[in-house]
Amino acid sequence: MLTRIDHIGIACFDLDKTVEFYRATYGFEVFHSEVNEEQGVREAMLKINDTGDGGASYLQLLEPTREDSTVAKWLAKNGEGVHHIAFGTADVDGDAADIKSKGVRVLYEEPRIGSMGSRITFLHPKDCGGVLTELVTSATTGH
Ligand code: CMX
Ligand code: CO
């Protein structure tokens, strides 16, 4: 069951500059940052609020680390902006299988590693009304 908005992924050209915009404009601080080489991103997670399922909602600011990454390709086409949304669940495997059975393409055979050791998968934007959609199970809370 999907129980929260885990994060909104925002693509940018310059992570440090974008982090500073969110700090100066809204007062949001970086909760966690990392490089995910498999996804081809340098990212900062800004925690916005806790959620009723014991998890939290974040903004995920994403800067590409290489030209052939999905985010670099998207930025070249669209410029900066909202790249994806992510729903949190205690069971990313089960929810992905369930959603797949409804005819939505799930992009990964098995969930991969996302922010903070979470397990993630993606749904194809063309099957989701133009919205790239991620499913996440947190490593820390298990939700
Ligand atoms: N949101 C909405 N639509 C998108 C999209 C996005 N983020 N990315 C691509 N599309 C659309 C394109 O506009 C294109 O539509 P048209 O054919 O109408 O022009 C279509 O999908 C195909 O796009 P493409 O540019 O040819 O890109 P690819 O098919 O090579 O890749 C996708 C698209 C979704 C398979 C790829 O971006 C992907 O695998 N994404 C999942 C991984 C990811 O995004 N990682 C970065 C974030 C990591 C994290 O969150 O931790
Ligand atoms: Co994400």
Side-chain angles (χ1 to χ4, degrees), residues 2-129:
L2 308 179
T3 52
R4 69 180 177 281
I5 293 177
D6 186 86
H7 63 268
I8 298 169
I10 296 170
C12 63
F13 292 110
D14 183 334
L15 185 63
D16 297 338
K17 202 172 143 191
T18 305
V19 162
E20 178 53 21
F21 170 80
Y22 280 91
R23 193 200 61 74
T25 309
Y26 307 114
F28 298 147
E29 300 288 346
V30 174
F31 179 81
H32 172 86
S33 58
E34 68 182 81
V35 172
N36 185 326
E37 283 299 351
E38 185 180 30
Q39 294 292 334
V41 294
R42 191 161 82 91
E43 61 173 80
M45 297 295 273
L46 314 184
K47 185 172 166 181
I48 309 302
N49 59 276
D50 294 316
T51 53
D53 62 357
S57 296
Y58 303 85
L59 294 182
Q60 181 184 42
L61 307 180
L62 300 159
E63 177 194 88
T65 55
R66 51 172 200 272
E67 284 303 309
D68 64 347
S69 65
T70 55
V71 172
K73 200 172 158 185
W74 188 88
L75 276 167
K77 190 173 167 186
N78 303 284
E80 296 184 316
V82 174
H83 178 259
H84 65 275
I85 62 169
F87 297 122
T89 166
D91 182 13
V92 64
D93 303 85
D95 283 325
D98 182 44
I99 291 167
K100 187 178 176 182
S101 77
K102 297 174 185 174
V104 173
R105 279 169 286 172
V106 176
L107 296 182
Y108 302 152
E109 216 35 64
E110 293 289 332
R112 297 182 184 173
I113 299 301
S115 299
M116 300 180 275
S118 59
R119 296 178 69 241
I120 63 171
T121 194
F122 288 88
L123 313 177
H124 201 289
K126 289 291 169 191
D127 296 344
C128 300

